[in-house]
Amino acid sequence: MEKRLPPVFLLLMMLMSMTAGAMALNKVSPIISIIIPELNLSGSAQGGLLISVFAVSGVFLAVPIGVIMQKFGCYKAGIFALSALVIGPFIGMLYMNFAVLLISRVIEGVGLIILTTIGPAVIAHEYKDRNLGAAMVILMCFMILGQIIMLNAAPRIAAFSSWKIVWMGTAAYALIFLLLWIFMLKKLDWCMKDEMMDGENRIQMFPKEVFLNWKLWCLGLTFMLALIAQQGVVAFLPSYLTDVKGMPASAAGSMVSAAAFVGIPTAILSGIISDRLGSRKRLIVIFMVMSSIVYAVMPIFPSSQYILIILLFGISVYGIVGLCISTASELVGSQNAGMAVAFMNMMQWGGIVMSSAVFGSLIDGIGYTGAFYCLVPITIAGALLTFIV
């Protein structure tokens, strides 16, 4: 019998490969002030488009990519995804043109979308008998790792040399894991052979076990609502601390990044606890309610102690992602885990796309204080949706 790949090794490979996509996603925000004048962009609208276009493609491609992955296998799909994360940056770096740069961002986005479908499906299969919650939460720390790396590295690299070096750095990281993927994961589809499609009669674009599952829809909406609030705050909290609380921009950015640092151990611990409890639902509800309290307190918390509310923000939001993905795969069974993850990715990218638009519009209409308060019913609604599942 052919030897299986160790689950811990697969978890590490999926985590670090997905981090390549997270680095590509998060490399624009820290250095957008450098990119705008160098490319003669019209302002923050075009700069924001460089960020959001990455996620827009995920709304439309998440489900089709899930089907493609099931048909052609995780190994080939992963090679294509990491190749996109290598090729995309070089296209954007070589052509000093905004339109081409947008296209390169879409290419990178497709790479990340494929990886965020493969990774959870592999982990749902390998850890389906035990420790799924802990493994999935560790995997979903990929976004936090990408944020931490780029928030700290990108501004320093761009200031020392050029934003193009940042692009080269993410491409080089992706290339390393592309080579590792090619040579070390040849047995990946064999490991998952009982989950892979074995005939045309099993390939379904919209399997009813997934898309007619009302519990999965409730969970997906919870996921979307959580990300609308979370990503909206992540995008605008630094400017809030600068414009309203009077903090220097550098201090505001460092303070917000503290949420990501505390989010990693919190996310891992939440997965372990959910495995011990035998329930993901309780923790998701607790985190959603806790985050609603944090959003209500944010506009009135004293500036001198604001780091405390930032830490509470990190504790309350970063465990939700892994718990939701774990629950999705369990609701539909391991055979449909890939499509369930694709569905959740669609809801995830929808929430990320809407987050900046919703929160930004609220700020323009009713100010920061009102915008924070509006996040309270959004997260409470997510808690109620989870509660009834």
Side-chain angles (χ1 to χ4, degrees):
M1 179 180 289
E2 195 168 357
K3 188 176 181 180
R4 297 181 68 89
L5 294 170
V8 174
F9 170 73
L10 288 174
L11 175 58
L12 180 62
M13 279 296 298
M14 295 302 117
L15 172 63
M16 301 313 295
S17 297
M18 290 165 64
T19 299
M23 289 168 60
L25 171 61
N26 290 283
K27 67 187 177 185
V28 175
S29 299
I31 56 175
I32 191 64
S33 60
I34 297 174
I35 295 175
I36 288 176
E38 187 162 339
L39 293 182
N40 295 317
L41 305 185
S42 61
S44 57
Q46 284 190 323
L49 186 58
L50 282 176
I51 302 172
S52 63
V53 73
F54 203 103
V56 168
S57 57
V59 179
F60 303 101
L61 296 178
V63 173
I65 284 174
V67 176
I68 293 171
M69 182 199 76
Q70 287 184 303
K71 184 172 182 178
F72 293 101
C74 294
Y75 178 68
K76 292 180 180 178
I79 292 174
F80 181 85
L82 287 163
S83 297
L85 290 168
V86 174
I87 295 170
F90 275 102
I91 293 176
M93 182 183 62
L94 294 175
Y95 295 93
M96 296 285 290
N97 179 281
F98 179 67
V100 175
L101 195 59
L102 284 178
I103 294 172
S104 75
R105 294 288 290 162
V106 172
I107 294 172
E108 292 176 296
V110 171
L112 176 57
I113 293 158
I114 295 174
L115 288 173
T116 54
T117 304
I118 295 173
V122 171
I123 299 309
H125 175 267
E126 293 299 312
Y127 288 85
K128 61 185 176 184
D129 297 325
R130 58 187 178 88
N131 298 326
L132 175 60
M136 193 68 76
V137 168
I138 291 173
L139 178 71
M140 300 315 291
C141 287
F142 80 96
M143 189 63 74
I144 306 175
L145 289 174
Q147 289 175 350
I148 292 173
I149 292 170
M150 298 319 295
L151 282 171
N152 288 280
R156 290 172 173 81
I157 293 173
F160 180 75
S161 55
S162 167
W163 64 270
K164 290 184 177 182
I165 305 301
V166 177
W167 261 239
M168 288 181 62
T170 62
Y173 181 94
L175 178 60
I176 292 171
F177 281 91
L178 170 61
L179 296 175
L180 290 174
W181 190 289
I182 291 173
F183 292 109
M184 301 185 72
L185 292 183
K186 293 180 179 179
K187 299 178 182 178
L188 180 58
D189 289 337
W190 182 86
C191 290
M192 299 182 66
K193 63 182 180 180
D194 53 325
E195 308 298 330
M196 303 307 296
M197 297 299 182
D198 59 7
E200 291 294 326
N201 60 323
R202 291 183 63 198
I203 298 173
Q204 301 180 52
M205 182 63 180
F206 298 102
K208 64 180 181 180
E209 293 85 357
V210 174
F211 291 93
L212 296 183
N213 188 321
W214 69 270
K215 293 182 178 180
L216 188 63
W217 276 96
C218 288
L219 183 68
L221 289 172
T222 295
F223 197 26
M224 178 182 286
L225 293 172
L227 286 169
I228 287 174
Q230 173 189 333
Q231 293 299 314
V233 170
V234 169
F236 288 96
L237 191 55
S239 60
Y240 169 75
L241 294 176
T242 301
D243 299 339
V244 178
K245 296 294 187 179
M247 295 184 186
S250 58
S254 298
M255 183 174 287
V256 174
S257 69
F261 279 101
V262 76
I264 292 178
T266 299
I268 295 172
L269 184 61
S270 68
I272 295 172
I273 293 174
S274 71
D275 285 334
R276 297 293 183 269
L277 292 176
S279 171
R280 322 268 182 230
K281 180 172 90 169
R282 298 176 189 174
L283 284 180
I284 294 174
V285 172
I286 290 172
F287 281 141
M288 293 295 286
V289 173
M290 183 176 175
S291 64
S292 70
I293 296 172
V294 170
Y295 297 139
V297 174
M298 274 185 167
I300 59 175
F301 209 78
S303 302
S304 60
Q305 302 172 14
Y306 214 81
I307 185 62
L308 297 178
I309 204 66
I310 296 292
L311 295 176
L312 288 174
F313 170 70
I315 292 171
S316 64
V317 301
Y318 282 109
I320 295 173
V321 175
L323 293 172
C324 284
I325 296 292
S326 301
T327 306
S329 63
E330 291 171 331
L331 284 176
V332 301
S334 59
Q335 181 175 327
N336 291 299
M339 286 305 300
V341 170
F343 173 81
M344 294 298 284
N345 281 339
M346 179 182 69
M347 304 301 280
Q348 172 181 239
W349 295 119
I352 291 174
V353 169
M354 287 190 287
S355 62
S356 296
V358 169
F359 200 68
S361 298
L362 289 172
I363 292 171
D364 291 338
I366 56 179
Y368 278 105
T369 299
F372 281 120
Y373 287 153
C374 285
L375 298 181
V376 175
I378 289 176
T379 46
I380 291 296
L384 292 175
L385 284 169
T386 303
F387 184 77
I388 66 174
V389 173

